[in-house]
Amino acid sequence: TLIASGILQVGDALPSERELAVALNVGRDAVRGGIQNLAARGILEISQGARTRVRRSDVGSVTVGIATARAVEAYDIESVHAARLLVEREVVADAARNIRPQKIALLETLLDAQKKTLDDPVRFLICDHEFHVAIYQASPNRLLADFSTDLYSYMMEHRREAMSRPGAIAVSYADHVAIVAALRAHDPEAAAGAFAAHTG
């Protein structure tokens, strides 16, 4: 999914197994198995003494949210961004009303992981993806959560470019801290406002 949505592109080095396990909230064995599976399919290249890299981006038909990855690209970016702002405000407000302690703990773990990636845009974007999806999934409306995931994934090419600018990752991280504080307080207005500031 990270490759299909454009978070990881051909030539990108993967974070370590430990970092991926934290970012994706899975065990290291699951990460290792996934890497070996993708390497066997020729999608990843594993080299002794070097980081594993993305070899090709053709991963077949992968669903991100409710649509096939990149299906939303039939629309212009302005329309997608406007839709994202409208939908995410409601999804995030809904998440603030309904978020459970386990999801807050996951978001705090992801914040800790993000803090260690402030100098690495690719690693940050992996954590960023998981952070956003975790918030969307805290909403009880699964359709809107999946739709938000699609809209987020569409913006990936632009996020990669934006995160490569000096200081952009630190600003995004600070936004994430504010979002988690509003979610922890179960404050729908503050959460929606913090998210709007983050995505605006």
Side-chain angles (χ1 to χ4, degrees):
T1 301
L2 294 171
I3 295 168
S5 64
I7 294 171
L8 289 172
Q9 297 181 355
V10 173
D12 282 346
L14 267 64
S16 70
E17 288 180 1
R18 181 184 54 75
E19 291 167 335
L20 277 173
V22 170
L24 302 176
N25 195 34
V26 297
R28 285 181 73 174
D29 288 341
V31 170
R32 190 172 299 121
I35 288 172
Q36 290 170 351
N37 180 298
L38 292 172
R41 292 172 49 199
I43 295 167
L44 296 179
E45 182 175 30
I46 301 173
S47 302
Q48 259 331 40
R51 287 174 63 186
T52 299
R53 294 193 174 275
V54 178
R55 184 175 177 193
R56 63 184 178 87
S57 60
D58 179 17
V59 295
S61 179
V62 174
T63 301
V64 178
I66 58 174
T68 302
R70 311 225 178 175
V72 76
E73 291 182 10
Y75 304 93
D76 64 272
I77 186 138
E78 291 79 18
S79 296
V80 174
H81 187 63
R84 183 179 178 205
L85 292 176
L86 286 172
V87 172
E88 279 187 344
R89 282 187 66 83
E90 184 54 38
V91 170
V92 173
D94 221 10
R97 286 187 282 271
N98 295 284
I99 199 160
R100 295 195 169 138
Q102 311 91 286
K103 193 66 84 170
I104 293 289
L106 171 61
L107 291 172
E108 289 171 344
T109 298
L110 290 170
L111 282 178
D112 287 342
Q114 287 173 23
K115 190 186 280 188
K116 297 172 185 162
T117 66
L118 297 179
D119 61 347
D120 188 334
V122 172
R123 285 175 48 218
F124 180 81
L125 284 172
I126 292 169
C127 290
D128 183 71
H129 175 268
E130 296 307 307
F131 179 84
H132 282 254
V133 171
I135 293 171
Y136 304 150
Q137 290 176 348
S139 167
N141 188 322
R142 301 298 301 162
L143 176 59
L144 284 179
D146 286 347
F147 187 48
S148 295
T149 300
D150 287 340
L151 294 172
Y152 170 88
S153 297
Y154 173 79
M155 306 295 288
M156 197 45 57
E157 194 63 42
H158 304 281
R159 287 204 52 74
R160 278 181 67 100
E161 184 181 322
M163 289 302 103
S164 67
R165 296 182 191 131
I169 295 175
V171 170
S172 191
Y173 172 75
D175 290 348
H176 288 180
V177 170
I179 291 165
V180 171
L183 290 170
R184 191 184 304 109
H186 296 280
D187 186 335
E189 285 185 31
F195 225 87
H198 178 54
T199 57

